[in-house]
Amino acid sequence: MSEHAIEFLRGWIGEKVQCPHSPIEIDQQAETLAKECCAKAAEAGILLEDIQEEVGDIQELIASRL
């Protein structure tokens, strides 16, 4: 994965991923945040494939951070 993609993902997760109030909300929040992350990465010119190559499923990564 490119250094630019790594920096983007780290910054985005640090800014956007916050612990939900209820464990039940984790899957729903992770799905929403993954979609938002993909959209922002595309706006920044970062290919989803570059991110997935390094971290796998973005939704699973975000859920693990929540």
Side-chain angles (χ1 to χ4, degrees), residues 42-59:
E43 288 176 17
I46 298 169
L47 297 175
L48 178 60
E49 292 82 15
D50 286 346
I51 295 173
Q52 290 176 326
E53 181 179 302
E54 183 68 25
V55 301
D57 188 284
I58 295 172
Q59 185 174 335

Side-chain angles (χ1 to χ4, degrees), residues 2-46:
S2 72
E3 189 65 31
H4 181 64
I6 292 169
E7 289 177 24
F8 168 82
L9 187 58
R10 285 182 183 158
W12 191 90
I13 286 176
E15 181 182 319
K16 297 288 185 174
V17 177
Q18 308 294 321
C19 185
H21 299 292
S22 167
I24 296 171
E25 298 174 357
I26 289 176
D27 289 337
Q28 181 181 4
Q29 187 173 3
E31 180 180 0
T32 300
L33 289 170
K35 288 177 183 176
E36 183 180 337
C37 180
C38 291
K40 291 295 183 182
E43 288 176 17
I46 298 169

